[in-house]
Amino acid sequence: MNYHRFANLRCVVALLILLTGCVPANTHIVTQLPAQAEPTALPPPQPTATEEPTPAPVEMPAGPGAVWNLVVIGDSSMWEHGKAVAVQINKDLGVQVVLHDFALPTLRASSVLEALKTGKSPNARLEQLPKAVKEAQMIVMFANPLGSINPEKTLDLDGCFAVSPPKACDMEAFDQYSVDLKDIWGEIIKLRAGQPTILRATDIYNPLVDTWIQNNIFDSCNTCWENQSLANRQAAETYNIPFLSRYDSFNGLVHREDPKVKGYIREDGEHPTEKGGEYFAKLLSAMGYEPTIP
């Protein structure tokens, strides 16, 4: 027997088994079967979480018998505005409007903010503001900057009410005013607690165009009024609140038009007439009634 040839044959057989898995005839191979695997236990079923139902969105009151509460916040430059806006809403939408008029003499933004935060005010009427806001469907606001004090640069625009340029009326002087306005809108939104509400911001017109021109203070005082307007606009934009500029609409885009000539200012040379209020209400109407909240 050729042992070398036999050994080679055994190697070939082993190689065939390895490569093909085929076992040549008469070849006996003993294998050990793997133990039967235990069945994998399934995890116990988990309880299905109960989803909270999505609350139905609250709609603005509409249709016959619907009532809207309208809140107007402002100084005396907002006189006649609330009544005119209420009439315009009724004309446009057919809803009954209850007016809560907080257009008060010399009303300052700082006073409005204090009343909304604390419910307290030296003005008994202003103490009713938080409750009125909670119930409002529409809120329109302008409040003046005179109580918003920047300790590093105090606002001083008194000259524009007389015959001299303002002493401090750049944007830096309106810093605290901007903060107060933003805080006011924040408090209003908090009090509304997600209820649909139409919010509208505005600024102030200028009834003193002729005086400014005659005394050569138009440019400086116009810049002052534009900065005041910008502070109101920027505060409103913080919360995506639509802004209507009375300065642009009553005085024209270059601000040299006299609203007294248009019949928008009373004989006292300062406060709006009924016609001025109606003009504002029509401009507001043209902006539509889409709620700002939510």
Side-chain angles (χ1 to χ4, degrees):
M1 178 181 292
N2 187 331
Y3 291 100
H4 293 288
R5 182 179 179 184
F6 179 73
N8 289 339
L9 179 60
R10 291 182 63 186
C11 291
V12 170
V13 171
L15 182 60
L16 285 171
I17 294 172
L18 179 63
L19 295 177
T20 68
C22 297
V23 181
N26 302 320
T27 302
H28 299 283
I29 299 177
V30 178
T31 59
Q32 183 175 3
L33 293 176
Q36 184 67 33
E38 293 292 331
T40 304
L42 295 176
Q46 298 296 318
T48 303
T50 303
E51 293 184 1
E52 292 290 335
T54 303
V58 180
E59 302 289 342
M60 294 286 291
V67 177
W68 280 21
N69 290 283
L70 168 66
V71 173
V72 174
I73 304 169
D75 61 9
S76 58
S77 75
M78 293 290 285
W79 288 354
E80 300 289 351
H81 287 47
K83 179 175 65 176
V85 172
V87 170
Q88 189 67 47
I89 293 171
N90 177 262
K91 179 180 177 181
D92 291 341
L93 304 177
V95 298
Q96 179 184 345
V97 181
V98 178
L99 173 61
H100 304 269
D101 199 343
F102 293 89
L104 306 173
T106 66
L107 182 63
R108 300 177 174 187
S110 56
S111 300
V112 175
L113 182 58
E114 179 184 6
L116 289 173
K117 281 187 170 182
T118 68
K120 303 295 183 181
S121 173
N123 187 314
R125 172 63 177 155
L126 206 55
E127 289 187 344
Q128 302 173 36
L129 181 59
K131 181 177 183 296
V133 167
K134 287 180 180 180
E135 299 173 351
Q137 278 71 47
M138 184 169 182
I139 300 171
V140 183
M141 187 186 75
F142 167 77
N144 75 50
L146 299 181
S148 299
I149 307 301
N150 177 352
E152 296 184 359
K153 189 167 187 178
T154 303
L155 177 68
D156 187 348
L157 47 71
D158 289 348
C160 294
F161 294 102
V163 292
S164 60
K167 294 180 180 178
C169 216
D170 57 15
M171 282 306 299
E172 186 179 351
F174 285 102
D175 281 352
Q176 187 59 47
Y177 183 46
S178 296
V179 171
D180 288 350
L181 291 171
K182 291 175 185 177
D183 288 347
I184 289 171
W185 287 121
E187 290 296 322
I188 287 173
I189 291 170
K190 187 186 302 182
L191 288 169
R192 291 301 299 141
Q195 298 300 304
T197 317
I198 301 165
L199 304 179
R200 298 292 183 264
T202 188
D203 55 7
I204 189 170
Y205 52 80
N206 168 36
L208 302 171
V209 174
D210 290 343
T211 299
W212 289 0
I213 292 173
Q214 291 167 9
N215 290 278
N216 297 316
I217 59 174
F218 179 86
D219 288 342
S220 57
C221 288
N222 177 54
T223 298
C224 182
W225 251 239
E226 288 178 344
N227 289 340
Q228 182 177 200
S229 176
L230 182 58
N232 278 272
R233 184 188 298 273
Q234 290 177 340
E237 287 176 348
T238 301
Y239 297 99
N240 296 317
I241 297 169
F243 176 80
L244 171 59
S245 175
R246 289 188 292 170
Y247 196 28
D248 290 350
S249 54
F250 278 58
N251 293 93
L253 293 179
V254 296
H255 305 141
R256 296 182 72 93
E257 298 176 16
D258 189 343
K260 295 192 297 291
V261 175
K262 302 175 182 179
Y264 298 156
I265 305 299
R266 296 181 187 179
E267 293 181 356
D268 65 7
E270 181 179 354
H271 299 109
T273 60
E274 184 176 336
K275 183 178 179 180
E278 291 172 350
Y279 177 54
F280 177 80
K282 290 178 180 178
L283 294 172
L284 209 62
S285 170
M287 298 172 71
Y289 297 99
E290 184 70 23
T292 310
I293 307 172

